[in-house]
Amino acid sequence: MTFRATLGGERYRFADLRTLLARATPPRSGDTLAGVAAASAQERVAAQLALADLPLRHFLDEAVVPYEADEVTRLIVDTHDAAAFSRVSHLTVGGLRDWLLSDAADAATLAALAPGLTPEMVAATSKLMRNQDLVLAARKCRVVTRLRNTLGLAGRLSTRLQPNHPTDDAAGIAASVLDGLLYASGDAVIGINPATDNLPQVMRLLDMLDAIITQYGIPTQSCVLTHVTNTLAAIERGAPVDLVFQSIGGTEATNRSFGVALSTLAEAREAALSLRRGARFADGIGDNVMYFETGQGSALSAGAHHGCDQQTLEARAYAVARHFKPLLVNTVVGFIGPEYLYNGKQILRAGLEDHFCAKLLGLPMGCDVCYTNHAEADQDDMDVLLTLLGAAGCNFVMGIPGADDVMLNYQTTSFHDALYLRELLGLRPAPEFEAWLAASGITREGGAFRLADGLPAPFRPALGRVA
């Protein structure tokens, strides 16, 4: 279907939905690199005008990636909840944007709506929104998940404690874990990116993290961010796997470049569930056992973008994640580099878009607020994005010593950054983790730290071993 708009006396024509979405996207270097971006600001506005008038029902009739050629498209179409969609089926894209910002769209209503929205619908809506719109609408969405603790509750901000080490040295990792725990980091997960991604090393790291969590009774979960097939092999050999990790994308070909298919993820989820490592709750066992990471630009990097803009394909990755009921999802927003998000302004916009789209689709979304050293960005840019994501109700952020990942060589958020955000906005860790912090002597009642009194007694032997 061809779309048309007139602006300033000039007529614009967009050949299909894929083209319309790409031309309506706020500027980013990846779309320019792919040759799909608007040629001018005027063309972008014209595309946004045409997009605003497009009925949401149209997204059910025209796929941006062919159904026959792509299993992600088939997943989106075949699992669409028509009953949930009926609430907004009469709206246009612009109408959905206005409704999301109205009082009618509250947390319960948005949770019920999520299965009825496709990724392309929410991506289209985000293209019409200002940054403040993305913050306000996302803040209304509440997505709660559980394994050994409860994540995503209102008034809470969790962190991934990321104790990476350039040689996977046990003492170095342990020092970072201890440092993070003493700054109330790690309630989302203690997750290591292994420097040496082979099965024996993965199993050694899993055993190490499990021993720490067990010895200190920490109500959290561990994860070694290795390829899903390594995790499957580790489970088969009896390793203590809490969460299965995998990077995912928004097209079948992107996921193939990562060495996975939907069937692989399904197999891994079933294997992790069989271990029953979730904490017992009054109503059963926490069964969210998957951890996914995404990032705008991965499809283009893999030559698997099908002529689509990178933000629309990022939203499609959330359909993959949603299908497997994850505990955690985060966009590693500035990690891929300036070829895809050139500067701090583009990274900030992408982070807010990703969080909004994922939350609206029903995902427990966090963000790695980060940038590479060759991007036109700095820590001030990240401070702004971190603060906006906190206001938007982001489920979790990263916690890394000094905000500098010495293994992956990029800049992200520190233990102190998370404390800043919690103090600024009155946010607290996951409730079970918060209780553990107090019981361990790290915090006093009310959350104030006790570190001025010296290292809490349970951790003194650990510090000696690290030294």
Side-chain angles (χ1 to χ4, degrees):
M1 176 177 175
T2 300
F3 304 91
R4 294 178 173 83
T6 301
L7 183 66
E10 187 169 351
R11 295 179 179 179
Y12 294 87
R13 176 183 175 276
F14 308 99
D16 49 30
L17 181 59
R18 177 175 53 225
T19 303
L20 179 65
L21 289 168
R23 301 296 193 271
T25 305
R28 60 210 60 201
S29 52
D31 291 340
T32 301
L33 180 65
V36 302
S40 65
Q42 188 164 331
E43 184 185 20
R44 183 175 301 110
V45 172
Q48 290 170 343
L49 287 171
L51 188 60
D53 290 336
L54 183 65
L56 292 176
R57 288 186 178 276
H58 183 83
F59 291 88
L60 303 177
D61 299 326
E62 183 178 356
V64 297
V65 181
Y67 180 94
E68 299 77 12
D70 188 87
E71 68 173 358
V72 176
T73 300
R74 293 194 290 274
L75 175 71
I76 292 167
V77 173
D78 295 348
T79 61
H80 179 252
D81 188 330
F85 178 60
S86 64
R87 172 88 190 218
V88 296
S89 61
H90 62 289
L91 296 176
T92 61
V93 176
L96 178 60
R97 179 259 181 199
D98 294 344
W99 179 80
L100 289 172
L101 298 174
S102 73
D103 292 339
D106 58 19
T109 303
L110 293 176
L113 174 64
L117 296 176
T118 70
E120 292 85 354
M121 290 177 192
V122 300
T125 306
S126 73
K127 298 175 193 297
L128 305 182
M129 302 177 90
R130 295 170 56 183
N131 286 354
Q132 66 173 242
D133 298 339
L134 297 171
V135 171
L136 181 59
R139 185 175 179 82
K140 298 180 181 185
C141 302
R142 186 62 52 197
V143 183
V144 177
T145 55
R146 299 180 303 183
L147 191 60
R148 287 206 185 91
N149 56 16
T150 309
L151 304 174
L153 295 169
R156 307 279 175 169
L157 172 72
S158 296
T159 59
R160 170 188 161 190
L161 202 174
Q162 188 169 313
N164 293 345
H165 191 278
T167 64
D168 288 339
D169 178 71
I173 291 171
S176 292
V177 171
L178 177 60
D179 191 20
L181 292 172
L182 293 177
Y183 283 102
S185 183
D187 52 336
V189 63
I190 304 176
I192 300 173
N193 297 89
T196 306
D197 195 15
N198 60 62
L199 186 57
Q201 183 76 330
V202 166
M203 294 186 68
R204 184 180 71 83
L205 294 173
L206 285 167
D207 287 336
M208 176 187 178
L209 292 181
D210 185 61
I212 292 171
I213 289 172
T214 301
Q215 178 177 347
Y216 296 104
I218 308 169
T220 190
Q221 34 281 324
S222 70
C223 186
V224 174
L225 282 71
T226 185
H227 193 270
V228 63
T229 54
N230 274 344
T231 304
L232 271 168
I235 291 173
E236 291 171 358
R237 288 162 174 77
V241 173
D242 293 337
L243 292 177
V244 175
F245 168 80
Q246 184 56 48
S247 296
I248 56 173
T251 68
E252 179 179 345
T254 306
N255 289 323
R256 191 184 309 123
S257 77
F258 291 141
V260 298
L262 299 184
S263 59
T264 318
L265 300 177
E267 180 185 0
R269 180 173 183 268
E270 290 305 312
L273 285 172
S274 72
L275 301 180
R276 299 174 63 85
R277 292 182 60 82
R280 290 194 174 274
F281 286 79
D283 57 350
I285 296 175
D287 62 355
N288 300 115
V289 294
M290 305 297 284
Y291 174 18
F292 296 116
E293 285 188 345
T294 66
Q296 290 193 29
S298 60
L300 176 58
S301 180
H305 61 98
H306 294 271
C308 298
D309 69 273
Q310 64 188 37
Q311 191 255 334
T312 296
L313 293 184
E314 171 73 3
R316 282 170 54 96
Y318 304 152
V320 175
R322 177 172 65 176
H323 185 65
F324 296 103
K325 300 178 174 59
L327 181 77
L328 306 166
V329 183
N330 71 268
T331 169
V332 193
V333 64
F335 182 73
I336 302 182
E339 301 87 350
Y340 307 99
L341 296 169
Y342 177 71
N343 56 18
K345 183 179 178 67
Q346 291 187 9
I347 293 171
L348 186 151
R349 173 71 191 191
L352 295 180
E353 288 170 347
D354 293 352
H355 178 255
F356 161 80
C357 289
K359 279 294 190 63
L360 199 56
L361 289 168
L363 284 182
M365 195 65 177
C367 185
D368 191 344
V369 180
C370 64
Y371 65 100
T372 56
N373 288 307
H374 61 310
E376 289 293 323
D378 58 28
Q379 210 63 46
D380 285 339
D381 297 314
M382 299 306 104
D383 286 350
V384 174
L385 177 55
L386 176 67
T387 304
L388 289 172
L389 286 169
C394 189
N395 278 33
F396 70 103
V397 295
M398 306 299 125
I400 297 178
D404 184 3
D405 192 306
V406 295
M407 194 279 282
L408 292 173
N409 195 30
Y410 77 117
Q411 309 305 308
T412 180
T413 47
S414 70
F415 305 139
H416 299 80
D417 293 328
L419 293 181
Y420 145 76
L421 198 57
R422 284 173 175 166
E423 182 174 350
L424 176 72
L425 300 176
L427 303 172
R428 297 152 61 192
E432 301 87 352
F433 192 81
E434 184 179 42
W436 176 83
L437 292 170
S440 300
I442 296 173
T443 60
R444 294 185 176 90
E445 184 178 352
F449 282 92
R450 297 180 61 181
L451 296 184
D453 303 335
L455 190 68
F459 299 98
R460 290 171 192 164
L463 185 63
R465 287 195 295 275
V466 169

